[in-house]
Amino acid sequence: MPRDTLTADRIVRAAIELLDEEGLDGLNMRSLAKRLDSAATAVYWHIKTKDDLIRLAGDAIWQEVELPDLDATDWRTAATAHASSMHAMLTRHPWLVQAFGSHLLHGAGQARNNDLSLAIYEKAGFVAADADRAAATVFTFVLGSALGPAAQVSLNRRLSRNGVDAEQLLAEAMTRATETAMQFPRLRERLGTTAATEYGAAPDDTFAFGLQSLLDGFEARLTAARAGRRE
């Protein structure tokens, strides 16, 4: 493919596909150029470094996050929709969770979501500084909740690349972990009603439970603050 048929947008989209399939470790300019039926030098003409490419790819997928209309809904509904959409995006693209710890990520897509988060918690009634804290708390919770699935994808990929049977290794590790857990009463009780293959997995609806608990806490703080101002 001639160099002038490439665009930065096409390169970024191809990089996202490659990152989804191979993770951060699987992304390199040679494999990306092959996917684009181009030369690596042509890719470098548009995007100078791998770090730049990861930054651009990371920012592009923020466009997938739902931005609720704050004029048409209450703050809790908006907060739930936005946080849930962020969580779904991070689960679809687990490499982004890892990239937060290894790359400098910024861009218009991420900034647009950050701005919307602040607007949600300002609408709830928080002053600016507390809106910042509320938005950061929810984002930290969303990111942490996506870490488990992202780590599982990364682990499976790494084990498979080493030429081993990933499923067998995981099953063996789970068996050993279960044997250890059986020494502790509460874990033993739960394992009596849970398949060993599910040990260590987050219970159903954990994300929704945690998010609503956070929002309950925010609402309680706002209610207390309003009551204090009336006294």
Side-chain angles (χ1 to χ4, degrees):
M1 180 181 295
R3 184 182 69 193
D4 59 5
T5 65
L6 282 177
T7 65
D9 184 66
R10 286 194 58 222
I11 294 169
V12 167
R13 290 296 161 190
I16 291 170
E17 293 175 0
L18 185 57
L19 285 161
D20 287 346
E21 294 173 13
E22 301 294 336
L24 287 176
D25 293 340
L27 177 66
N28 59 72
M29 292 303 197
R30 182 175 297 128
S31 58
L32 179 60
K34 183 177 180 181
R35 181 176 289 255
L36 290 162
D37 192 24
S38 181
T41 52
V43 175
Y44 281 116
W45 179 265
H46 294 276
I47 297 175
K48 300 304 182 184
T49 68
K50 180 179 174 181
D51 284 346
D52 284 342
L53 182 57
I54 291 171
R55 176 180 57 80
L56 291 168
D59 196 57
I61 59 177
W62 277 99
Q63 302 293 339
E64 299 175 14
V65 178
E66 175 187 353
L67 299 180
D69 182 356
L70 295 186
D71 294 328
T73 188
D74 63 277
W75 77 269
R76 279 198 67 143
T77 301
T80 300
H82 187 233
S84 298
S85 191
M86 282 196 293
H87 186 260
M89 180 273 286
L90 291 170
T91 302
R92 285 193 300 272
H93 306 288
W95 54 271
L96 183 59
V97 177
Q98 298 168 307
F100 275 111
S102 58
H103 290 76
L104 297 173
L105 300 177
H106 58 87
Q110 185 175 348
R112 188 178 298 111
N113 276 273
N114 291 344
D115 189 74
L116 187 278
S117 291
L118 296 176
I120 288 172
Y121 297 108
E122 287 180 355
K123 178 174 182 175
F126 285 115
V127 297
D130 285 343
D132 292 351
R133 296 184 183 98
T137 298
V138 170
F139 179 69
T140 301
F141 171 72
V142 170
L143 189 63
S145 296
L147 182 60
Q152 188 66 54
V153 169
S154 179
L155 177 61
N156 289 345
R157 187 180 289 127
R158 183 177 66 81
L159 292 175
S160 297
R161 280 179 184 159
N162 291 339
V164 300
D165 185 333
E167 289 189 6
Q168 180 180 346
L169 269 181
L170 288 171
E172 291 172 353
M174 194 61 67
T175 297
R176 292 193 294 272
T178 301
E179 290 171 352
T180 300
M182 291 295 286
Q183 301 172 37
F184 300 89
R186 292 169 186 81
L187 296 179
R188 184 167 59 247
E189 179 183 354
R190 283 156 176 76
L191 286 168
T193 57
T194 303
T197 54
E198 297 176 3
Y199 173 65
D204 292 343
D205 301 322
T206 295
F207 174 75
F209 177 87
L211 177 59
Q212 293 310 310
S213 297
L214 278 178
L215 300 184
D216 288 344
F218 292 166
E219 194 151 40
R221 290 180 69 93
L222 290 165
T223 300
R226 285 191 292 268
R229 288 194 293 269
R230 287 195 296 268
E231 292 177 355

